[in-house]
Amino acid sequence: MFFQRYYLDCLSLASYMIADEQTRKAVVIDPQRDIEIYLEDAKEHGFQIEHVILTHFHADFIAGHIELKKAVGAQIYMGKQAEAEFSFQDLGEGDELILGSVKLSILETPGHTPEGISILVYDLSENPDQPKMILTGDTLFLGDVGRPDLLASIGVTAEELASMLYHSLHDKILTLPDETLVYPAHGAGSMCGKQLSNAAVTTLGEQRKYNYALQPMSKQDFIEMVTTDLPEAPQYFVHDAIMNRKERQTLSETLSASWNAFSLDEVLEMLNNDNQVIDVRSATEFAGAHLKGSINIGLDGRYATWAGSILDKQVPILVIAEDEERIEEAIMRLGRIGFDQVKGFLKDGLNSLKDHPELVSQTKRISAPAFNELDEKTMIVDIRSQSEWEGGHIEGSVNIPLTQLQERIIEIPHDHTVIVHCQGGYRSSIAISLLEKQKYENVLDLVGGYKAWLMTAVT
């Protein structure tokens, strides 16, 4: 049996390829939308990708099932409860997919979503009677379980899904042998759970011991536990869950349509028509000089997650970056979350502004040591999450999480000096750019964020 885990750090996404080395038949589970990595591995090993399985309709990324179907003719499979625009073969409890000496057997495990499935993987040449591993999708994570609230807005309550999740775990997954290897679809950093581990794999026995959600408790206690203290879900999650049900363009088609270089005059006209212009350079580079009205979402961070949380999925997007390689990466990573409305990019990037100083803005920044020396009327805006703020904050600061900034911006006065900070500086640059776009003038970014201030305060 060939088994390969692929991990996409920026989305905390784990996908898998399983193949039989005799028949050369392969299946890909929960693929990312840019599928080249699977095609390259299949070519290298002489495999034919005949099948692609989605464990559920993912909410935090666009899966690559349509891409694999169009690229290599792979058959798409989903759980029996799934409903989609595209054709697929449904998989119910006990259904099997045999590649040769490799067998996949299906468990219906609703809870994170109604159509969720888990996949038991058998290496028949080693042990035909006991699964070697289970691919749990978003039902069971390492250290956590899938959150049940993401579909509350489209007709299924969190309590109903939590009840399903309890039975999926206790009546199915937890009946498997302790030595069964557990491979989930996400790791630490994913918003699909509360406290996911950064480990790649563990055994079911280890999860039975240490996963807080698998400890003995009544179903009602479980429901209450998994439906409280959930992190705020990014706004694009519902969009992606719906888009994963649709027949749609492939990522390559989207990238091709987005590859348009626009002059500065054209970009300014689009900006004046309320198109979204995003500058994907680092916070430091953005602070040094940027196009007035542009929004900073740096590529070297959780770019897709924050772009999906801040940008309007209905409004066209233009990209500013250092070079064409970074432009392509920016557009592709937006495509991973279904933001396909990119119209193009600013030709020559910031070089196009060298003769137009009136169009250039700089971000005011303040160091942690200089922070306490201000004697002006000052408002400190902490744009971290509420839980981060409750864990420790600067006295007198106001907590407006970045995800709420645009709707709560009226709470920030124009006649104050406003100091904005996050934990380390990435999110505060996004916030500063949003405030500047709304004509706030005396706004400063606290360099190094709360971490830098804390070090100064301790010393």
Side-chain angles (χ1 to χ4, degrees):
M1 180 177 74
F2 172 91
F3 177 80
Q4 180 63 54
R5 175 182 182 263
Y6 305 89
Y7 197 72
L8 187 62
D9 281 297
C10 62
L11 289 173
S12 305
L13 164 64
S15 56
Y16 304 90
M17 183 188 291
I18 302 171
D20 182 270
E21 299 197 83
Q22 297 301 316
T23 65
R24 321 307 289 177
K25 295 180 180 179
V27 56
V28 178
I29 295 95
D30 292 330
Q32 61 194 60
R33 195 177 180 190
D34 45 319
I35 59 170
E36 288 73 18
I37 190 170
Y38 314 112
L39 301 181
E40 289 170 2
D41 267 10
K43 182 178 180 180
E44 178 182 346
H45 293 281
F47 298 148
Q48 176 63 42
I49 300 174
E50 295 189 352
H51 317 282
V52 54
I53 303 175
L54 298 189
T55 56
H56 63 289
F57 290 119
H58 294 274
D60 57 323
F61 72 100
I62 303 302
H65 50 294
I66 300 295
E67 282 76 8
L68 282 171
K69 178 181 179 180
K70 291 187 177 181
V72 296
Q75 171 67 54
I76 301 172
Y77 298 82
M78 293 206 67
K80 211 166 189 176
Q81 301 304 315
E83 296 181 0
E85 289 182 1
F86 54 84
S87 62
F88 66 92
Q89 185 169 327
D90 61 50
L91 294 170
E93 187 77 17
D95 284 348
E96 296 178 350
L97 191 62
I98 298 177
L99 307 178
S101 63
V102 177
K103 181 177 77 171
L104 309 183
S105 182
I106 301 303
L107 295 179
E108 291 188 62
T109 52
H112 178 66
T113 65
E115 77 287 343
I117 58 173
S118 296
I119 305 167
L120 297 171
V121 182
Y122 294 78
D123 187 337
L124 301 178
S125 64
E126 289 185 6
N127 188 339
D129 300 317
Q130 184 172 310
K132 185 180 183 71
M133 62 186 71
I134 180 170
L135 276 58
T136 53
D138 285 13
T139 300
L140 172 62
F141 298 124
L142 306 188
D144 206 346
V145 293
R147 61 190 294 173
D149 65 313
L150 296 181
L151 292 180
S153 62
I154 52 178
V156 188
T157 69
E159 289 72 21
E160 289 171 331
L161 283 168
S163 177
M164 297 179 198
L165 183 61
Y166 180 87
H167 288 293
S168 294
L169 293 166
H170 289 271
D171 298 342
K172 296 184 179 181
I173 292 177
L174 287 175
T175 65
L176 298 170
D178 278 351
E179 57 267 32
T180 308
L181 298 173
V182 179
Y183 287 96
H186 288 97
S190 169
M191 301 297 283
C192 292
K194 290 190 278 192
Q195 53 184 57
L196 286 70
S197 167
N198 60 7
V201 61
T202 188
T203 64
L204 187 57
E206 289 295 297
Q207 287 303 293
R208 204 188 305 272
K209 288 180 184 178
Y210 302 116
N211 189 321
Y212 76 96
L214 300 184
Q215 302 313 301
M217 68 185 80
S218 69
K219 181 169 78 169
Q220 189 55 44
D221 286 343
F222 176 85
I223 290 172
E224 291 177 7
M225 181 182 66
V226 300
T227 55
T228 58
D229 297 325
L230 291 165
E232 182 181 4
Q235 294 182 10
Y236 72 93
F237 271 27
V238 172
H239 168 69
D240 281 20
I242 293 172
M243 193 168 171
N244 273 321
R245 291 167 163 80
K246 293 182 175 294
E247 188 75 60
R248 52 163 176 77
Q249 282 189 324
T250 65
L251 182 59
S252 61
E253 290 168 338
T254 293
L255 292 175
S256 178
S258 300
W259 198 256
N260 304 298
F262 291 104
S263 69
L264 176 60
D265 287 342
E266 290 172 317
V267 169
L268 291 174
E269 182 179 356
M270 294 175 190
L271 189 59
N272 289 334
N273 288 326
D274 293 328
N275 285 217
Q276 301 171 114
V277 177
I278 59 170
D279 187 324
V280 302
R281 297 173 302 144
S282 70
T284 301
E285 291 171 310
F286 183 83
H290 56 267
L291 175 65
K292 289 181 179 178
S294 61
I295 301 168
N296 180 225
I297 310 176
L299 269 178
D300 296 326
R302 295 193 72 84
Y303 165 77
T305 299
W306 285 111
S309 301
I310 298 301
L311 301 178
D312 188 328
K313 60 183 177 294
Q314 305 296 337
V315 177
I317 296 169
L318 293 115
V319 173
I320 297 175
E322 303 96 311
D323 53 48
E324 290 191 355
E325 183 177 343
R326 298 287 273 178
I327 291 167
E328 184 175 6
E329 182 183 355
I331 298 172
M332 181 270 293
R333 288 172 64 180
L334 287 172
R336 284 177 177 163
I337 60 166
F339 277 54
D340 291 351
Q341 74 275 25
V342 180
K343 296 182 72 172
F345 54 91
L346 175 60
K347 185 179 180 181
D348 297 327
L350 264 291
N351 289 329
S352 64
L353 295 172
K354 62 183 179 181
D355 295 325
H356 299 277
E358 75 281 3
L359 301 176
V360 176
S361 182
Q362 294 179 314
T363 300
K364 300 174 185 176
R365 310 183 88 191
I366 186 169
S367 66
F371 172 75
N372 291 323
E373 297 179 10
L374 286 175
D375 56 5
E376 304 171 66
K377 196 161 46 173
T378 303
M379 180 178 186
I380 306 164
V381 179
D382 184 336
I383 53 91
R384 298 177 301 161
S385 67
Q386 182 178 342
S387 62
E388 288 177 288
W389 189 80
E390 290 173 349
H393 58 268
I394 299 172
E395 185 177 356
S397 63
V398 177
N399 181 220
I400 305 179
L402 179 54
T403 52
Q404 301 172 21
L405 178 61
Q406 294 181 90
E407 62 188 61
R408 294 178 58 187
I409 202 165
I410 194 172
E411 298 176 28
I412 302 175
H414 280 269
D415 60 350
H416 281 50
T417 295
V418 179
I419 299 176
V420 180
H421 78 85
C422 60
Q423 189 71 5
Y426 179 84
R427 287 173 287 175
S428 62
S429 185
I430 300 174
I432 290 285
S433 67
L434 292 172
L435 289 167
E436 288 181 349
K437 188 173 175 61
Q438 295 302 318
K439 310 303 182 186
Y440 283 81
E441 294 181 355
N442 203 13
V443 181
L444 291 82
D445 189 0
L446 178 58
V447 178
Y450 182 72
K451 288 192 294 187
W453 175 85
L454 197 60
M455 289 179 64
T456 303
V458 169
T459 56

